[in-house]
């Protein structure tokens, strides 16, 4: 019975991913010849029927970044207002509405590679023009508004992000905090390298 209920929930989420992919196809994917991925907060908010005012775009090559910028300048009135080491920020006009774009400069080989680098499972959704992928636990954790760990490349940033999700009524168990704190203690983690200034604001290396 529980398995059947989980399958029904998954089917509903998949149907919504179909809808979101169709919307992105009409508004973004069809406006460029570049290979791009949309992932993270845009999709999770759409699945929760929350208002979305920004889209995170990921790429697999530098030439795709350049091609995308050229295309959206011509087709979506793209205007950049910040260019940093890790990110290009700008705005576009989509169906008469101003939408922020965050163009991530770090490169990813495919959709799976993108979601493999998110910290929390609820963010592990990725859509391209021809497919979408997601973490197997993502639909259920999102449905229950529950934070679970996928990967912790930047633990201090993950701790900060947890507070943002708590403000949106997400919950987490002590085990999640313990995993992050244990990760902070590991030798390869350099907390000071997680933070930097972008657009005049203290930011951190993490995927939103």
């Amino acid at each position: 019975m529980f398995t059947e209920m989980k399958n029904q929930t998954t089917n509903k989420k998949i149907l919504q991913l179909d809808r979101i992919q169709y919307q992105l196809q009409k508004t973004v994917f069809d406006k460029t010849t570049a290979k791009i991925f949309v992932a993270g907060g845009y999709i999770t908010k759409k699945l929760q029927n929350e208002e979305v005012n920004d889209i995170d775009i990921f790429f697999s090559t530098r030439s795709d970044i350049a091609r995308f910028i050229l295309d959206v300048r011509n087709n979506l009135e793209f205007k950049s207002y910040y260019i940093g080491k890790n990110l290009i920020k700008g705005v576009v006009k989509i169906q008469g509405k101003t939408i922020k774009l965050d163009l991530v400069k770090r490169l990813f080989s495919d959709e799976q590679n993108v979601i493999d680098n998110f910290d929390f499972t609820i963010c592990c959704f990725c859509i391209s023009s021809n497919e979408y992928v997601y973490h197997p636990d993502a639909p259920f954790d999102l449905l229950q508004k529950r934070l679970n760990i996928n990967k912790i490349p930047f633990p201090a940033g993950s701790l900060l992000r947890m507070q943002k999700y708590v403000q949106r009524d997400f919950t987490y168990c002590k085990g999640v905090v313990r995993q992050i704190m244990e990760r902070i203690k590991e030798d390869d983690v350099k907390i000071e390298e997680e933070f930097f200034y972008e657009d005049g604001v203290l930011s951190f290396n993490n995927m939103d």
Side-chain angles (χ1 to χ4, degrees):
M1 183 67 160
F2 182 65
T3 301
E4 182 180 352
M5 185 170 62
K6 288 181 68 175
N7 287 338
Q8 290 174 355
T9 302
T10 302
N11 289 336
K12 289 180 181 179
K13 293 295 183 185
I14 289 173
L15 287 172
Q16 289 189 60
L17 286 172
D18 282 336
R19 175 177 55 81
I20 295 169
Q21 185 183 42
Y22 175 73
Q23 292 171 346
L24 285 170
Q25 191 70 49
K26 291 176 60 180
T27 57
V28 180
F29 296 142
D30 283 348
K31 307 300 181 182
T32 181
T33 57
K35 180 180 180 181
I36 64 171
F37 314 112
V38 174
Y42 173 86
I43 301 173
T44 58
K45 286 184 177 180
K46 279 286 190 179
L47 289 172
Q48 292 184 292
N49 295 315
E50 295 180 7
E51 184 178 358
V52 177
N53 57 17
D54 66 286
I55 306 174
D56 295 332
I57 309 288
F58 302 84
F59 305 88
S60 56
T61 69
R62 297 291 177 200
S63 60
D64 280 323
I65 297 177
R67 168 54 61 184
F68 180 77
I69 291 173
L70 180 62
D71 287 342
V72 293
R73 276 178 180 165
N74 292 331
N75 298 322
L76 295 174
E77 302 178 40
F78 175 75
K79 295 180 180 178
S80 62
Y81 60 87
Y82 174 77
I83 300 176
K85 178 182 178 181
N86 304 286
L87 200 64
I88 299 173
K89 291 176 175 284
V91 294
V92 293
K93 290 286 188 180
I94 296 179
Q95 297 176 337
K97 182 180 179 181
T98 299
I99 301 292
K100 294 180 180 178
L101 292 187
D102 285 353
L103 313 184
V104 179
K105 288 186 173 181
R106 181 182 172 188
L107 302 178
F108 299 87
S109 58
D110 55 24
E111 294 86 351
Q112 186 64 48
N113 186 217
V114 175
I115 68 169
D116 283 346
N117 284 274
F118 278 99
D119 50 4
F120 300 119
T121 57
I122 59 166
C123 301
C124 293
F125 295 91
C126 183
I127 295 177
S128 66
S129 62
N130 56 359
E131 70 173 320
Y132 50 77
V133 298
Y134 56 91
H135 189 288
D137 293 334
F140 312 114
D141 288 340
L142 187 60
L143 182 69
Q144 298 181 34
K145 305 196 77 168
R146 175 181 60 197
L147 295 181
N148 274 321
I149 296 295
N150 175 56
K151 185 179 181 180
I152 318 174
F154 304 109
S158 293
L159 278 177
L160 291 178
R161 277 164 47 75
M162 285 178 67
Q163 301 311 307
K164 180 182 74 173
Y165 283 112
V166 167
Q167 293 173 1
R168 292 171 55 194
D169 297 324
F170 282 82
T171 62
Y172 58 87
C173 66
K174 292 180 180 179
V176 170
V177 178
R178 183 170 60 250
Q179 289 181 68
I180 295 175
M181 298 308 295
E182 289 175 352
R183 179 76 177 105
I184 288 176
K185 297 177 184 177
E186 294 179 10
D187 293 338
D188 64 318
V189 173
K190 295 179 175 57
I191 299 299
E192 66 277 6
E193 295 181 4
E194 291 195 37
F195 298 91
F196 56 92
Y197 278 94
E198 234 172 16
D199 199 20
V201 177
L202 183 64
S203 303
F204 50 90
N205 282 306
N206 219 322
M207 291 169 59
D208 199 359

